[in-house]
Amino acid sequence: MKQFDAHEATRPVSHLAVVDSSAAMSPFEKAAEYGHAKVTKHIAQSFGLSVFAGAFIALAFVFYLTVTTGAAPGSWGLVRFSGGIAFSLGLILVVVLGGELFTSTVLSAIAWAQKRVTTKQLLGCWTRVYLGNLCGAMLILLLVMMSKMYDLNGSAWGLNALHVAQHKIHHDWSQAFALGTLCNLLVCLGVWMTFSCKDALGKSILLILPVAMFVSSGFEHSIANLFMVPLGITIEHFIGSEYFMALGVVPQAFADLTISNFIVHNLIPVTLGNIVGGAVFVQPWVFLD
């Protein structure tokens, strides 16, 4: 048996012998690994994590509504910035806890561009994650309605939700598409930056400002909208006319909050914009690596 050598035990170990293989990878290689792992993840696990991610983003929008309700009219920029900071909780939860969010999963296009996954695998991943995010958002919507959060601050919380939801369906297609593109460019840049660190605190800090910027600037996030607009539709259709009368609002003012208007005027163009912002815009970086 080899005897213990105190000198050997205390001898400095060359840093070359303990280099973390992931540290030697370029950001592009890390992004490709990130995308490949998402696409090849077991279907049940991927769907389950996407449900959690949809719930996280919905909870972040609840936080946004609470922070921005009842704000002074003269502090528009600061109110939106504080709401953006609050909403960053959603992406932080997704990244730190390992959820599967459609907008960040779009980065898996890098692995597809490098021919590490097939088109069928890529689209299958995007579809199940999108549907899982929808399920998570609907779960939080149900809980929010059951808890009657729309009554907060003398029902001003619900009125704020109605105004935010209605604003989202009044973009024209090109505007909604552009806002979706800008949004996911920032989301994916935020996620990309997290590849540079390992600790949860560092990742969280890096995500705050990109998210705060896209939220405060009014950019459009398809998964957030899967919660926000249906919330407005649910309040408008199921709360009752006495709710609006107490607020001094005519119920017909929000009659355009319908599922068809949401899908046609917001969800489709915003989702396509999210795909372009997160997938197409990153491809030049991949080929320049």
Side-chain angles (χ1 to χ4, degrees):
M1 182 181 295
K2 183 178 179 181
Q3 293 184 341
F4 176 76
D5 186 341
H7 295 290
E8 183 177 350
T10 58
R11 186 180 302 137
V13 179
S14 170
H15 72 281
L16 294 176
V18 294
V19 170
D20 186 346
S21 59
S22 64
M25 298 170 62
S26 72
F28 307 98
E29 290 170 330
K30 290 180 181 179
E33 284 294 327
Y34 172 86
H36 182 263
K38 284 185 175 293
V39 174
T40 58
K41 189 171 293 182
H42 190 276
I43 293 176
Q45 182 185 21
S46 176
F47 184 80
L49 290 173
S50 67
V51 173
F52 278 108
F56 294 157
I57 295 299
L59 285 171
F61 226 134
V62 172
F63 197 7
Y64 171 89
L65 288 172
T66 302
V67 167
T68 58
T69 295
S75 54
W76 182 85
L78 289 176
V79 170
R80 292 176 69 89
F81 178 69
S82 64
I85 296 292
F87 188 84
S88 68
L89 172 66
L91 193 57
I92 290 171
L93 288 172
V94 169
V95 170
V96 173
L97 299 182
E100 296 287 347
L101 181 65
F102 172 75
T103 45
S104 57
T105 298
V106 167
L107 268 177
S108 57
I110 297 174
W112 173 82
Q114 296 183 348
K115 303 187 184 303
R116 299 184 59 180
V117 297
T118 65
T119 301
K120 181 180 179 179
Q121 287 178 307
L122 182 73
L123 296 180
C125 173
W126 288 3
T127 301
R128 67 174 174 266
V129 169
Y130 199 95
L131 293 175
N133 289 167
L134 171 62
C135 291
M138 292 301 98
L139 174 62
I140 299 303
L141 173 59
L142 175 63
L143 293 174
V144 166
M145 295 304 296
M146 289 175 61
S147 63
K148 298 184 178 180
M149 291 193 69
Y150 49 81
D151 284 332
L152 288 174
N153 193 30
S155 299
W157 194 96
L159 185 60
N160 186 22
L162 286 164
H163 282 301
V164 172
Q166 188 177 56
H167 172 75
K168 289 180 175 295
I169 64 171
H170 284 175
H171 303 311
D172 59 46
W173 255 64
S174 60
Q175 183 184 16
F177 177 83
L179 290 171
T181 302
L182 289 167
C183 169
N184 211 30
L185 176 62
L186 283 167
V187 169
C188 290
L189 284 174
V191 172
W192 192 291
M193 287 193 297
T194 65
F195 298 153
S196 65
C197 61
K198 294 182 179 180
D199 61 288
L201 179 60
K203 291 176 183 288
S204 300
I205 292 173
L206 288 172
L207 290 169
I208 292 173
L209 286 181
V211 175
M213 179 183 174
F214 94 68
V215 174
S216 61
S217 300
F219 300 161
E220 294 286 346
H221 189 283
S222 58
I223 306 306
N225 292 351
L226 283 175
F227 167 77
M228 189 61 248
V229 182
L231 174 62
I233 293 171
T234 304
I235 293 173
E236 196 277 332
H237 282 77
F238 296 104
I239 298 306
S241 58
E242 61 277 4
Y243 180 84
F244 294 95
M245 292 174 61
L247 288 168
V249 177
V250 179
Q252 289 73 23
F254 299 101
D256 55 350
L257 278 172
T258 63
I259 294 294
S260 59
N261 279 343
F262 168 46
I263 293 174
V264 173
H265 298 297
N266 181 276
L267 192 61
I268 293 175
V270 168
T271 299
L272 293 174
N274 287 168
I275 292 172
V276 171
V280 177
F281 276 38
V282 301
Q283 296 310 313
W285 300 342
V286 175
F287 293 120
L288 287 173
D289 180 34

